[in-house]
Amino acid sequence: KLELMPHAGDWRDARVVKRGWELNAPAFVHPESAHPGGHVLQAGLLGTEADNVLLSVIKCSEDGEDIIIRGYETAGRAAETRLHLPYFGKSFDLAFAPHEIKTFRLDRTTWSLREVTLLEA
């Protein structure tokens, strides 16, 4: 799909990379049947506060024990941000160098987050 995105100023300030992801990989609805549970009925899964950090992957680890999260800096500017997981009520401080790609492993039993290589994901 092709779309023009007019904007004032710099492409980095206009969040062009994030808007491109939104256009080409839109969120989708996964209907779930009703069931009892202790979680809130609706909550966001994850996000960051920085406009120039894009989270591109969230998945279960290969061993199925932990959560893998991958993100990257999109504008060539260092970023210090906070990763939020509102559904779980958790958040973590993150730092990215310009254009840096990072992969994190979140231990669901201790709620500790550590940076890993792709081989550890």
Side-chain angles (χ1 to χ4, degrees), residues 11-12 15-18 21 50-55 72-77 79 96-100:
W11 64 271
R12 291 170 280 250
R15 302 177 55 213
V16 171
V17 175
K18 280 192 173 187
W21 267 85
D51 287 339
N52 60 324
V53 173
L54 187 124
L55 300 174
Y72 63 96
E73 192 287 318
T74 63
R77 300 175 180 161
F96 286 82
H99 304 293
E100 185 173 32

Side-chain angles (χ1 to χ4, degrees), residues 3-97:
E3 186 170 304
L4 295 177
M5 188 185 139
H7 57 83
D10 190 87
W11 64 271
R12 291 170 280 250
D13 295 331
R15 302 177 55 213
V16 171
V17 175
K18 280 192 173 187
R19 297 202 189 269
W21 267 85
E22 292 167 357
L23 174 68
N24 292 310
F28 59 91
V29 175
H30 175 78
E32 182 66 39
S33 59
H35 53 80
H39 291 293
V40 296
L41 295 177
Q42 182 176 340
L45 185 58
L46 78 160
T48 66
E49 295 173 0
D51 287 339
N52 60 324
V53 173
L54 187 124
L55 300 174
S56 57
V57 173
I58 182 168
K59 66 174 193 154
C60 287
S61 60
E62 293 297 322
D63 59 17
E65 298 296 318
D66 298 327
I67 298 171
I68 302 299
I69 299 167
R70 187 168 304 122
Y72 63 96
E73 192 287 318
T74 63
R77 300 175 180 161
E80 291 189 15
T81 189
R82 195 143 179 86
L83 170 67
H84 294 283
L85 294 116
Y87 185 78
F88 300 108
K90 305 292 179 189
S91 60
F92 304 91
D93 291 324
L94 304 177
F96 286 82

